[in-house]
Amino acid sequence: MPLDAAAGAQLGTALGIAPIPIATELCRREVGAYLKTLDGVDDVVVACTQERSLFAELAQQKGSVAPLRFVNIRETGGWSAQAGQALPKMAALLAAAALPDPEPVPIVNYESAGHVLIIGSADQALPWAQRLREQLDVSVLLTSGSESQMLGERSFPSFSGKKIKVDGWLGAFKVSWQQANPIDLETCIRCNACIEVCPESAIDLTYQIDLDKCRSHGDCVKACGNIGAINFARGEIAGANDRSGEFDLIFDLSSTPMVHTHQLPQGYFAPGMDVARQFEDSLKLAQMVGQFEKPKFFNYKEKLCAHSRNGKIGCNACVDICSAEAISHNGNHVKVNPNLCAGCGACTTVCPSGAMAYAYPRVEDMGLRVKTLLTTYAKAGGRQAGLLFHSKGQGSALIGQAGRLAKAGWSGIPARIIPVELHHTAAVGIDVWLAAFAYGAANVSVMVTDEEAPQYLDALQQQIELAQAILSGLGYAGVHLQLVHIKTAAELDSYVNALEPAQTAVVCATFNLAADKRTTLDFALEHLHRHAPNNVEQIALPAGALYGAVLVNQDACTLCMSCVGACPESALTDNANTPQLRFIEKNCVQCGLCEKTCPENAITLAPRLLFTAAAKELQVLNEAQPFHCVSCQKPFGTAKMIENMVSKLSLHGAFSGNIERLKMCPDCRVVDMMANKHESSISEIK
């Protein structure tokens, strides 16, 4: 990398510290300089990830208490065709690496005693049972027999079955199945008497009967005698074939996994017929005995949730997108199973209200990281920064490959493109993206590989189109956001070096991201609108956007206020003093509950982003003069409501003899009914 004393001084200035001394062999000949920095208690940032293990071991040998942080400035920028201009990016990466650790979050605990259930055909399952039984408490569930395998010594429980269902997670799996074969392996003593008497040779040494060969003569049943392991009539008794068990781990060797989610539960391994993956997963199984923990990746605020009201489903975005099936319907709200949650964060990205928020790291922490990267980059003289969000798995590997291939004549990662590693690419959404543009970013790219679930790609693309519609509507020229599917380092190299910077705000924002998603969006949108090339009052948005208006057909609306009771965000309100339906557009998340609840179908949604003061003000969508009780003159309801009620209920038996009762308030109606107990009424004869 083209680093010298002048570059060290420039880096120090950008970071607000003393000039940084330059080393060329810090992990070898100049290791003494590294060891000297460990004498204090301050954080030590090591700009090398290749020798992470060595630096950590040296610190441990010295007994250092200084916290260590590692960052890669070589493959991400130092090794590229634009290495000479990459110093601002290096400063940005170093500054972000020096940030404090995110605040601790609650922990999700798992406990495994190593009781593993191996599921599969006898040819697949039995050899693995023999290999693993010394390290783990093995049970086997056979889905078919074998002509080459044998159930010999009873060293582990064996079952056979079909219609297998697996639920749960590490340390708490519940498995149910149907005993499909006449021989119950748990009862069978493996005396081979059945095999000896079977004239069709339909029974193998795994004691499974080939029902296609069997002629049901019953000799095997007689030979089994009092043992009673063979029963052809078991299926005729309801529930007689039901079996179940509880296990800590699942090793599923079926050709088609029993669990179909894209993100498999912790402790569930499904390598299928892939022998290499079978051996890889078996090593992981052997290590999954004991107590384990992971962060609780989400925060859920029920009061903000727009999922459901009164049996009507409004927003179902988080339930639909979760690839681990960790989120489910729970009355008016949703329920998240923290044991199944894999921390992808897609639910937080698609949540319009901010009811679901990512907790590890929190939005505030991610916002500080993005802000630090962009402000430090600008302070060091960088221009038109582009952020490349990527996963820490395949994404980081591709960036490393692209950087190393730059030494072989490739272009590498350009000086203006700053890689940002995420736990999962779906964890960051429109609030962080728009904030990045407010901080001065010229591009935001989200790099996905084959790791992501298909529904994540659709959701990210929809969110990107929404954010781009806002930026284009404000007059910012160019393509600001892109979702790019990268499979090879060559594709990555080609993409990042062809990426053109888009227009951004001339003034960089200074706000910090808030825990509340809508608040963060308000900050970002206000800044982008204030400095926008076009002075617009509103922008039309695509369907499904998280901003918009509610339109009311006043001719159809009776002001029944059903929509007010259904609105979870207090966007729709009534007026205690007069029949009036009011609306605050800023609060609306376009969940559609009002539209689905309205008995008159008088409501439609109009996705848009309104920048005027009217968005925050109460707007009257419909109003009417109150109808006064014909008895006590107290106002109740509206004239249209009473008119509709009289029209629909005039022939009802309770009112047909006294239509005026429908025009009374509830109190007077009861008094009138009690005063005329013996009045005649028309009722339907059934």
Side-chain angles (χ1 to χ4, degrees):
M1 292 183 287
L3 294 175
D4 53 21
Q10 189 176 346
L11 284 171
T13 300
L15 297 171
I17 59 175
I20 299 177
I22 302 301
T24 57
E25 296 181 33
L26 200 61
C27 57
R28 298 291 187 269
R29 180 170 54 87
E30 298 171 293
V31 71
Y34 164 67
L35 293 173
K36 186 177 179 181
T37 66
L38 301 176
D39 291 337
V41 296
D42 294 334
D43 291 4
V44 174
V45 177
V46 181
C48 175
T49 52
Q50 176 180 291
E51 302 295 339
R52 184 196 308 261
S53 298
L54 173 62
F55 285 121
E57 182 179 351
L58 290 172
Q60 185 178 15
Q61 290 177 356
K62 185 173 180 177
S64 172
V65 296
L68 282 179
R69 304 175 188 278
F70 296 91
V71 60
N72 181 354
I73 64 169
R74 189 175 69 180
E75 283 82 1
T76 57
W79 281 358
S80 77
Q82 299 180 10
Q85 295 83 46
L87 193 139
K89 176 165 63 172
M90 294 181 185
L93 293 170
L94 290 169
L99 290 172
D101 290 331
E103 292 183 8
V105 297
I107 295 297
V108 180
N109 294 303
Y110 299 92
E111 186 169 351
S112 167
H115 187 187
V116 59
L117 177 67
I118 303 176
I119 304 173
S121 67
D123 288 329
Q124 291 287 327
L126 292 179
W128 276 112
Q130 294 295 339
R131 295 186 186 106
L132 294 174
R133 67 188 182 94
E134 297 298 330
Q135 293 94 3
L136 297 167
D137 179 12
V138 170
S139 296
V140 173
L141 176 54
L142 302 179
T143 56
S144 65
S146 169
E147 295 182 357
S148 59
Q149 294 296 324
M150 178 181 71
L151 276 172
E153 179 184 348
R154 296 179 69 94
S155 53
F156 47 79
S158 302
F159 316 97
S160 66
K162 305 287 185 181
K163 298 182 179 179
I164 302 167
K165 183 179 179 182
V166 178
D167 290 309
W169 50 85
L170 174 63
F173 283 105
K174 295 181 179 179
V175 183
S176 60
W177 64 91
Q178 290 284 314
Q179 172 71 41
N181 203 274
I183 300 180
D184 189 330
L185 294 181
E186 280 297 276
T187 306
C188 174
I189 63 171
R190 305 173 190 177
C191 65
N192 288 354
C194 58
I195 296 176
E196 293 173 4
V197 301
C198 181
E200 294 95 5
S201 298
I203 307 176
D204 59 34
L205 289 175
T206 64
Y207 307 101
Q208 298 294 284
I209 299 177
D210 186 339
L211 297 176
D212 292 332
K213 294 180 180 179
C214 177
R215 296 295 175 263
S216 302
H217 46 68
D219 289 352
C220 57
V221 179
K222 297 175 185 176
C224 191
N226 293 331
I227 300 300
I230 307 177
N231 186 348
F232 284 87
R234 188 185 300 113
E236 300 174 4
I237 304 173
N241 282 333
D242 294 344
R243 303 286 187 273
S244 63
E246 296 183 359
F247 307 91
D248 298 314
L249 302 159
I250 304 293
F251 196 29
D252 186 355
L253 302 173
S254 310
S255 56
T256 301
M258 301 296 170
V259 177
H260 305 293
T261 58
H262 183 274
Q263 183 64 53
L264 298 176
Q266 296 278 347
Y268 177 88
F269 298 89
M273 302 292 107
D274 188 330
V275 176
R277 279 192 59 198
Q278 289 179 2
F279 276 94
E280 181 182 343
D281 287 350
S282 70
L283 294 175
K284 296 177 183 177
L285 277 168
Q287 298 172 1
M288 301 195 76
V289 180
Q291 294 182 337
F292 304 90
E293 61 182 32
K294 71 174 182 183
K296 182 183 175 186
F297 290 102
F298 63 91
N299 279 329
Y300 176 55
K301 302 174 184 176
E302 282 190 352
K303 66 179 182 179
L304 297 179
C305 184
H307 172 62
S308 173
R309 289 295 185 274
N310 306 319
K312 301 286 187 180
I313 300 296
C315 175
N316 212 41
C318 61
V319 177
D320 292 338
I321 200 171
C322 182
S323 67
E325 295 185 1
I327 308 177
S328 58
H329 174 80
N330 185 34
N332 285 338
H333 305 106
V334 298
K335 178 172 60 177
V336 187
N337 187 324
N339 296 96
L340 290 176
C341 173
C344 67
C347 57
T348 68
T349 296
V350 299
C351 179
S353 66
M356 201 73 74
Y358 203 61
Y360 190 78
R362 303 171 306 161
V363 174
E364 306 97 297
D365 299 319
M366 176 54 66
L368 179 60
R369 184 179 170 198
V370 169
K371 182 179 181 181
T372 300
L373 285 168
L374 292 171
T375 55
T376 306
Y377 175 84
K379 184 178 179 181
R383 295 292 181 268
Q384 298 179 322
L387 298 183
L388 177 63
F389 290 106
H390 64 89
S391 70
K392 66 178 182 181
Q394 293 182 23
S396 291
L398 286 169
I399 287 174
Q401 291 173 21
R404 297 207 174 199
L405 288 171
K407 297 292 288 181
W410 289 28
S411 297
I413 309 299
R416 75 176 191 88
I417 302 298
I418 306 174
V420 184
E421 184 180 275
L422 303 174
H423 178 72
H424 198 288
T425 49
V428 169
I430 188 172
D431 49 345
V432 177
W433 300 336
L434 291 179
F437 290 113
Y439 292 147
N443 299 98
V444 167
S445 300
V446 181
M447 180 174 71
V448 296
T449 61
D450 293 330
E451 297 173 293
E452 290 82 4
Q455 63 263 39
Y456 292 172
L457 307 187
D458 294 338
L460 285 170
Q461 186 61 44
Q462 290 172 3
Q463 294 287 307
I464 283 175
E465 290 174 0
L466 172 59
Q468 185 63 63
I470 293 173
L471 292 167
S472 298
L474 290 170
Y476 292 104
V479 178
H480 296 79
L481 299 104
Q482 284 184 289
L483 178 69
V484 54
H485 193 172
I486 299 293
K487 294 184 178 180
T488 66
E491 291 179 356
L492 174 60
D493 188 272
S494 176
Y495 170 75
V496 292
N497 283 283
L499 188 61
E500 293 291 334
Q503 185 180 7
T504 190
V506 294
V507 177
C508 295
T510 59
F511 63 83
N512 292 325
L513 268 63
D516 180 70
K517 182 174 185 175
R518 305 283 289 197
T519 301
T520 292
L521 283 167
D522 287 346
F523 285 150
L525 291 170
E526 182 181 353
H527 180 87
L528 292 169
H529 179 256
R530 186 186 312 124
H531 301 284
N534 296 343
N535 184 17
V536 297
E537 292 189 352
Q538 69 177 48
I539 299 172
L541 298 179
L546 69 171
Y547 290 101
V550 168
L551 306 181
V552 174
N553 182 342
Q554 296 182 355
D555 293 332
C557 175
T558 62
L559 290 173
C560 67
M561 302 302 173
S562 296
C563 54
V564 173
C567 182
E569 309 299 331
S570 298
L572 289 167
T573 62
D574 59 3
N575 188 330
N577 299 317
T578 185
Q580 199 174 67
L581 176 61
R582 302 185 295 181
F583 177 62
I584 303 176
E585 186 163 335
K586 175 180 176 292
N587 293 350
C588 182
V589 299
Q590 296 283 287
C591 65
L593 279 169
C594 56
E595 185 179 32
K596 295 174 182 177
T597 302
C598 180
E600 288 88 18
N601 296 319
I603 293 179
T604 55
L605 303 180
R608 69 175 185 180
L609 181 56
L610 185 64
F611 290 102
T612 65
K616 301 178 182 180
E617 298 171 352
L618 274 173
Q619 307 171 42
V620 177
L621 300 183
N622 195 13
E623 61 183 336
Q625 292 299 317
F627 184 88
H628 294 268
C629 173
V630 295
S631 177
C632 70
Q633 302 305 310
K634 182 174 69 176
F636 81 102
T638 66
K640 182 179 291 186
M641 183 186 301
I642 301 303
E643 180 183 332
N644 285 353
M645 188 165 60
V646 169
S647 173
K648 293 177 181 179
L649 298 179
S650 59
L651 297 179
H652 191 280
F655 302 103
S656 59
N658 193 343
I659 298 299
E660 290 299 301
R661 188 173 290 158
L662 289 170
K663 302 176 183 179
M664 298 179 185
C665 69
D667 293 337
C668 292
R669 192 176 301 152
V670 172
V671 171
D672 187 68
M673 291 176 69
M674 296 302 295
N676 298 278
K677 290 183 179 181
H678 304 294
E679 69 181 10
S680 61
S681 63
I682 300 173
S683 60
E684 183 181 357
I685 300 176
K686 297 183 179 179

